[in-house]
């Protein structure tokens, strides 16, 4: 079935004639970055990450990539052209599933532009929180949005939850296509892409697509037994740094509470990086996660590492520097 909530509630739910009669169930989701990249033959690893960050992991969308074109030209053809396959795709899907697409468009657009907490989203769309949360819950049921909590928080009583768009196609579309539809419809989509979108892509890819990719890498490595320990919980962390007296975050966290071991990671999609300072800052964050006996660290970088950073990796056995090429190793 195409609508997850319908399958879960009406087909397999308690009141359904099929309740208790299923022999198995498989929730089919989009590919992670690694499997998606297998449909991107001929592209370098940086372009694979850019394509996944903008198109997502839906196989049919990935099949629309023209391998004879560059990343930029694919974006122009798929998104910034009124005849492009992905130009109106998220809007059409919403109109099929929902009776008030305008309100949902406003909410998703607000999240795509940086509002992640309920109060911020409500303020951005000009509605009270009680009304906003009803629409958000529908989008959560459709798996268009997801709600995340800081690593270690109990979702049942945490008040720090934030909302994110689940699919990179939706995220890219609402960030860059939805607000530019009038210009694209007037035939200047290519100019909009060149002048307004491509220069802002590094910031968009860096947070959150590249962070999601790095967490997917850690999960995949864990599944293959390639981490220093078998992790059972994964996520990211944000909150108050009581030592520095400011807000802080850690992009990747994985732990085994039974073994009292934890992995902390930072993800940097930048052309310029003081990697030694980033490594030292990461390794100093252990006080934010008390109660563990062993700490491990990963830094993910778009750019090659300096010789000084490599010497630190040789010095500390619990430090791993991950390159773009390593993300795609078999």
């Amino acid at each position: 079935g195409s609508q997850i909530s319908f399958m879960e509630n009406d087909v397999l739910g308690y009141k359904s004639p099929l309740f208790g009669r299923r022999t198995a169930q498989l929730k089919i989701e989009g590919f992670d970055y690694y499997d998606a990249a297998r449909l991107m033959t001929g592209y370098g690893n940086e372009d694979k990450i850019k394509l996944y960050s903008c198109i997502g992991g839906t196989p049919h969308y990935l099949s629309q990539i023209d391998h004879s074109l560059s990343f930029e030209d694919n974006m122009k053809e798929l998104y910034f052209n009124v005849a492009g396959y992905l130009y109106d795709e998220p809007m059409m899907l919403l109109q099929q599933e929902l009776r008030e697409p305008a309100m949902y468009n406003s909410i998703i657009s607000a999240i795509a532009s940086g509002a992640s907490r309920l109060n911020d989203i409500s303020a951005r769309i000009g509605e009270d929180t009680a009304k906003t949360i009803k629409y958000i819950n529908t989008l959560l049921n459709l798996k268009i949005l997801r709600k995340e909590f800081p690593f270690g928080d109990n979702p049942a009583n945490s008040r720090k939850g934030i909302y994110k768009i689940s699919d990179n196609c939706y995220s890219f579309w609402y960030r860059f296509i939805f607000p530019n539809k009038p210009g694209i419809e007037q035939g200047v989509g290519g100019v909009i892409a060149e002048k307004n979108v491509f220069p802002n892509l590094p910031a968009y890819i860096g947070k959150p697509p590249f962070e999601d990719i790095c967490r997917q890498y850690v999960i995949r490595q864990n599944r293959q037994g390639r981490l220093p320990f078998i992790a059972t919980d994964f996520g990211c962390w944000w909150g108050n740094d009581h030592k520095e007296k400011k807000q802080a975050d850690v992009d990747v966290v994985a732990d085994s509470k039974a073994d009292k071991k934890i992995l902390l990671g930072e993800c940097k999609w930048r052309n310029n990086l003081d990697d030694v300072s980033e490594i030292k800052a990461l390794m100093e964050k252990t006080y934010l996660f008390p109660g563990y006996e062993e700490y491990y660290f990963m830094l993910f970088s778009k750019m090659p590492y300096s010789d000084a950073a490599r010497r630190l990796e040789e010095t500390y056995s619990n430090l791993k520097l991950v390159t773009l090429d390593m993300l795609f190793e078999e």
Side-chain angles (χ1 to χ4, degrees), residues 46 49-50 201-207 210-211 214 249 251 266-279 281 285 299-305 322 324:
E46 182 175 337
I49 287 178
K50 289 159 71 175
L201 271 185
Y204 162 77
I205 294 172
K207 198 174 189 73
F210 187 55
E211 295 175 356
C214 296
D249 62 82
D251 299 331
E266 286 291 333
C267 314
K268 304 299 177 184
W269 187 262
R270 300 178 187 168
N271 290 329
N272 298 298
L273 180 68
D274 184 349
D275 49 15
V276 171
S277 295
E278 294 292 347
I279 291 168
K285 289 183 177 180
L299 182 64
F300 300 83
S301 175
K302 172 186 175 183
M303 300 303 295
Y305 294 100
V322 183
L324 293 192

Side-chain angles (χ1 to χ4, degrees), residues 13 18 26 61 91 98 100 106 129 144 159 166 201 219 256:
L18 292 181
L26 178 63
Y61 298 168
M91 179 76 79
L98 303 167
E100 299 178 74
S106 298
T129 56
I144 293 172
R159 302 184 66 180
S166 297
L201 271 185
I219 291 170
S256 170

Side-chain angles (χ1 to χ4, degrees), residues 175-193:
R175 174 80 172 267
F176 296 113
I177 306 304
F178 187 55
N180 286 307
K181 281 176 72 70
I184 297 172
E185 289 171 357
Q186 296 304 316
V188 291
V191 176
I192 291 171

Side-chain angles (χ1 to χ4, degrees), residues 67-310:
H67 296 257
S68 68
L69 300 179
S70 66
F71 161 77
E72 289 80 6
D73 286 342
N74 265 294
M75 291 298 101
K76 291 177 185 177
E77 287 296 316
L78 290 171
Y79 283 112
F80 295 91
N81 172 4
V82 291
Y85 189 85
L86 297 178
Y87 169 67
D88 226 11
E89 180 73 0
M91 179 76 79
M92 287 192 298
L93 291 176
L94 275 188
Q95 288 173 341
Q96 290 175 22
E97 303 284 3
L98 303 167
R99 288 177 295 181
E100 299 178 74
M103 179 62 74
Y104 295 101
N105 276 329
S106 298
I107 290 172
I108 302 172
S109 183
I111 296 172
S113 61
S116 59
R117 301 180 186 278
L118 178 59
N119 288 338
D120 297 333
I121 299 168
S122 298
R124 191 76 63 93
I125 67 173
E127 293 287 352
D128 62 75
T129 56
K131 185 174 182 179
T132 303
I133 194 62
K134 291 181 180 179
Y135 289 97
I136 286 177
N137 284 334
T138 299
L139 293 170
L140 290 171
N141 288 333
L142 291 171
K143 310 302 183 195
I144 293 172
L145 299 183
R146 69 180 190 264
K147 190 174 186 181
E148 291 189 354
F149 298 89
F151 186 89
D153 273 27
N154 184 349
N157 52 35
S158 175
R159 302 184 66 180
K160 298 179 181 178
I162 61 174
Y163 297 96
K164 292 185 177 181
I165 301 173
S166 297
D167 183 83
N168 286 344
C169 176
Y170 274 83
S171 185
F172 179 84
W173 194 89
Y174 278 95
R175 174 80 172 267
F176 296 113
I177 306 304
F178 187 55
N180 286 307
K181 281 176 72 70
I184 297 172
E185 289 171 357
Q186 296 304 316
V188 291
V191 176
I192 291 171
E194 291 283 354
K195 296 190 176 297
N196 299 341
V197 177
F198 294 155
N200 293 311
L201 271 185
Y204 162 77
I205 294 172
K207 198 174 189 73
F210 187 55
E211 295 175 356
D212 291 339
I213 287 170
C214 296
R215 282 192 288 272
Q216 290 172 14
Y217 170 83
V218 169
I219 291 170
R220 186 175 280 268
Q221 291 283 300
N222 186 66
R223 190 184 306 138
Q224 297 172 349
R226 294 182 179 179
L227 293 185
F229 58 93
I230 301 298
T232 54
D233 288 305
F234 305 86
C236 54
W237 180 88
W238 62 92
N240 183 46
D241 184 335
H242 58 275
K243 184 177 178 180
E244 297 292 332
K245 293 182 172 55
K246 63 179 183 180
Q247 291 296 300
D249 62 82
V250 179
D251 299 331
V252 179
V253 186
D255 82 347
S256 170
K257 293 180 177 60
D259 297 324
K260 295 186 177 180
K261 298 178 181 181
I262 190 169
L263 168 70
L264 307 178
E266 286 291 333
C267 314
K268 304 299 177 184
W269 187 262
R270 300 178 187 168
N271 290 329
N272 298 298
L273 180 68
D274 184 349
D275 49 15
V276 171
S277 295
E278 294 292 347
I279 291 168
K280 291 179 178 178
L282 173 62
M283 297 182 76
E284 288 172 358
K285 289 183 177 180
T286 54
Y287 64 87
L288 296 171
F289 302 88
Y292 295 93
E293 296 177 354
E294 295 181 20
Y295 294 84
Y296 298 88
F297 307 95
M298 279 189 183
L299 182 64
F300 300 83
S301 175
K302 172 186 175 183
M303 300 303 295
Y305 294 100
S306 66
D307 292 340
R310 289 298 186 189

